């Protein structure tokens, strides 16, 4: 039996009953219906899942449909409809090559287009929700194709209607609306502005912005590379917790805090982890806190899913003990508890 570790960026995960590779919309729907009552796990690039060593007792459907439809209008920009299985960063590169602007700060995020709306991927000051106009899905409950407008996707920080209804919707394709242009949006992320040699709020070319983002990501082990074990991860393991103003006030002034419109405060998970006694390079078996970024748990070479889960538990428990805040996993846990 094929081990799922072959298909995950953590390079862990035991076997599945069956693994099906589907490359058209008709194949996706047929595979779901054929699965009947068996448990189904939808996978794109496997870059945001931690699958148990015992594997998945059901059918894994790996999606690789990469159709592209585009309409370009000098006034409204480009409307691009992309198959769920297209590689995200290939898509970003293509938009830049064609002279479109908007997605450049999301360069280098691994995975597929279909997974992007699931957790509303984001980086360097932008989220994919800003560019999505429509998500077409197959609703496994209703056994019908269902299209969501942007508002119906209920996008919030690393969350969406799809993520909060796990297993129900399979994304078939995603429609994006982006600008035609050579300049980026104003760069608000201070570290990126510094890298570009501009002031926060200023713009750079889309191409320069992509190059700077890719360099920053590589320096943090956040760009997938077979040679960089720090990137044998799922990116950030935990989300930044959102706490009440009262809770935020109990944290030291040095803790990065971002006030939200609803009165709550987003706090840096990386800062909480680092300041509660977990450090870059800490290990449990073959699992290691990335040597470059404390929020990424990684496989130093021969980790098991159990090692990674244990390391995650330790980091989370320490944050709870020292700051009283419970970190939530950003990674999708399949048969694993932390
Ligand atoms: C080195 C590294 C850096 C990363 N950096 C970032 C970052 O900066 N920002 C960020 O937001 N994320 C980041 N991530 C996380 C990851 O890249 C994203 O979450 C990405 O969108 C996952 O895509 P995927 O195709 O690999 O999804 P998978 O891991 O295959 O699946 C993730 C989840 O989505 C579901 N899913 C996948 N495809 C579909 C579909 N078509 N329909 C319905 N459900 C589906 C799966 O069932 C699973 O629950 C990083 C990961 C790594 C390894």
């Amino acid at each position: 039996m094929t081990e799922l570790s072959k298909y995950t960026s953590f390079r862990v995960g035991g076997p599945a009953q069956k693994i099906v590779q589907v490359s058209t919309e008709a194949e996706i729907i047929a595979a779901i219906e054929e699965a009947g009552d068996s448990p189904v796990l939808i996978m794109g690039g496997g870059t945001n899942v931690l699958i148990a060593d015992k594997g998945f007792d059901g059918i894994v459907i790996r999606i690789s449909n990469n159709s592209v439809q585009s309409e370009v209008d000098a006034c409204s920009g480009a409307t691009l409809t992309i198959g769920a299985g297209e590689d995200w960063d290939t898509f970003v590169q293509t938009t830049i090559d064609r002279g479109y602007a908007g997605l450049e700060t999301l360069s280098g995020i691994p995975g597929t287009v279909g997974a992007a709306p699931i957790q509303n991927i984001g980086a360097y000051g932008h989220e994919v929700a800003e560019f999505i106009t429509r998500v077409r899905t197959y609703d496994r409950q209703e056994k019908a194709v269902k299209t969501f407008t942007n508002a119906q996707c209920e996008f919030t920080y690393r969350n969406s209607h799809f993520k909060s209804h796990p297993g129900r919707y399979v994304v078939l394709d995603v429609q994006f609306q982006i600008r035609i242009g050579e300049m980026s949006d104003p760069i608000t992320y201070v570290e990126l502005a510094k890298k570009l040699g501009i002031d926060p709020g200023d713009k750079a070319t889309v191409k320069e912005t992509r190059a700077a983002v890719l360099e920053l990501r590589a320096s943090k082990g956040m760009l997938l590379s077979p040679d960089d074990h720090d990137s044998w991860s799922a990116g950030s393991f935990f989300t930044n917790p959102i706490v009440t103003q009262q809770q935020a006030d109990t944290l030291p002034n040095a803790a990065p805090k971002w006030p939200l419109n609803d009165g709550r405060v987003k706090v840096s998970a990386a800062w909480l982890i680092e300041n509660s006694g977990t450090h870059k390079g800490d290990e449990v078996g073959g699992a290691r806190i990335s040597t470059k970024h404390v929020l990424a748990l990684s496989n130093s070479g021969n980790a098991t899913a159990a090692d990674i889960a244990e390391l995650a538990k330790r980091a989370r428990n320490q944050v709870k003990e020292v700051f009283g805040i419970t970190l939530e996993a950003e990674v999708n846990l399949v048969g694993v508890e932390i």
Side-chain angles (χ1 to χ4, degrees):
M1 265 199 283
T2 311
E3 299 280 309
L4 290 166
S5 55
K6 202 175 148 202
Y7 302 119
T8 65
S9 52
F10 266 131
R11 302 180 187 221
V12 303
Q17 259 176 35
K18 190 175 167 190
I19 303 174
V20 192
Q21 177 88 34
V22 286
S23 54
T24 65
E25 185 173 316
E27 284 176 13
I28 298 174
I29 296 174
I32 291 162
E33 291 315 326
E34 270 166 34
D37 292 334
S38 301
V40 167
L41 173 64
I42 303 294
M43 262 176 79
T47 65
N48 205 19
V49 284
L50 176 59
I51 301 176
D53 300 312
K54 66 177 187 304
F56 178 70
D57 190 13
I59 299 174
V60 172
I61 301 179
R62 296 188 65 230
I63 295 189
S64 60
N65 65 319
N66 54 4
S67 57
V68 176
Q69 285 171 33
S70 58
E71 274 173 45
V72 183
D73 178 304
C75 299
S76 59
T79 305
L80 306 169
T81 306
I82 312 295
E86 174 66 284
D87 175 70
W88 171 259
D89 195 49
T90 305
F91 166 54
V92 173
Q93 175 72 68
T94 308
T95 64
I96 293 172
D97 291 345
R98 287 194 188 177
Y100 307 146
L103 300 179
E104 54 281 356
T105 64
L106 305 179
S107 291
I109 300 180
T112 54
V113 166
I118 305 289
Q119 74 153 7
N120 182 17
I121 57 169
Y124 297 102
H126 290 277
E127 292 180 337
V128 74
E130 295 164 48
F131 309 98
I132 289 179
T133 40
R134 195 193 77 186
V135 177
R136 256 178 83 245
T137 68
Y138 184 70
D139 179 346
R140 292 179 59 207
Q141 196 170 304
E142 298 293 328
K143 295 188 187 301
V145 171
K146 181 166 180 189
T147 300
F148 290 77
T149 61
N150 180 293
Q152 289 169 329
C153 292
E154 295 169 3
F155 289 123
T156 52
Y157 164 67
R158 294 301 171 273
N159 210 347
S160 68
H161 184 79
F162 316 114
K163 189 160 183 181
S164 50
H165 293 78
R168 176 161 176 186
Y169 301 101
V170 181
V171 176
L172 300 172
D173 60 47
V174 184
Q175 189 183 70
F176 300 86
Q177 175 78 44
I178 47 179
R179 280 189 294 119
I180 299 170
E182 285 180 5
M183 297 304 284
S184 71
D185 286 325
I187 302 292
T188 52
Y189 203 90
V190 175
E191 187 189 22
L192 179 57
K194 197 170 162 204
K195 178 89 187 161
L196 285 161
I198 59 174
D199 289 329
D202 286 352
K203 299 178 182 180
T205 69
V206 165
K207 286 186 180 161
E208 284 165 351
T209 306
R210 174 171 168 84
V213 166
L214 292 178
E215 265 185 50
L216 280 175
R217 294 188 73 94
S219 70
K220 296 177 184 176
M222 286 290 183
L223 206 53
L224 271 194
S225 159
D227 303 325
D228 181 0
H229 284 241
D230 282 332
S231 77
W232 294 21
S233 76
S236 303
F237 196 92
F238 298 104
T239 51
N240 290 320
I242 295 175
V243 301
T244 60
Q245 183 68 56
Q246 259 174 333
Q247 264 180 306
D249 290 343
T250 65
L251 296 173
N253 287 340
K257 297 167 200 161
W258 301 281
L260 302 179
N261 291 337
D262 63 5
R264 294 182 302 161
V265 180
K266 198 199 281 181
V267 184
S268 162
W271 187 94
L272 294 171
I273 293 173
E274 211 149 25
N275 288 276
S276 62
T278 299
H279 302 292
K280 291 175 190 158
D282 284 0
E283 291 177 325
V284 171
R288 185 175 66 194
I289 302 283
S290 162
T291 61
K292 305 188 189 81
H293 196 308
V294 76
L295 197 46
L297 274 60
S298 66
N299 178 351
S300 66
N302 59 354
T304 60
D307 292 340
I308 296 168
E310 183 55 32
L311 187 58
K313 258 186 238 171
R314 287 192 195 176
R316 197 178 63 166
N317 290 347
Q318 268 174 289
V319 168
K320 178 77 182 163
E321 224 173 271
V322 177
F323 297 112
I325 293 176
T326 305
L327 294 180
E328 301 289 342
E330 176 177 315
V331 175
N332 298 277
L333 305 173
V334 180
V336 173
E337 278 180 30
I338 62 161

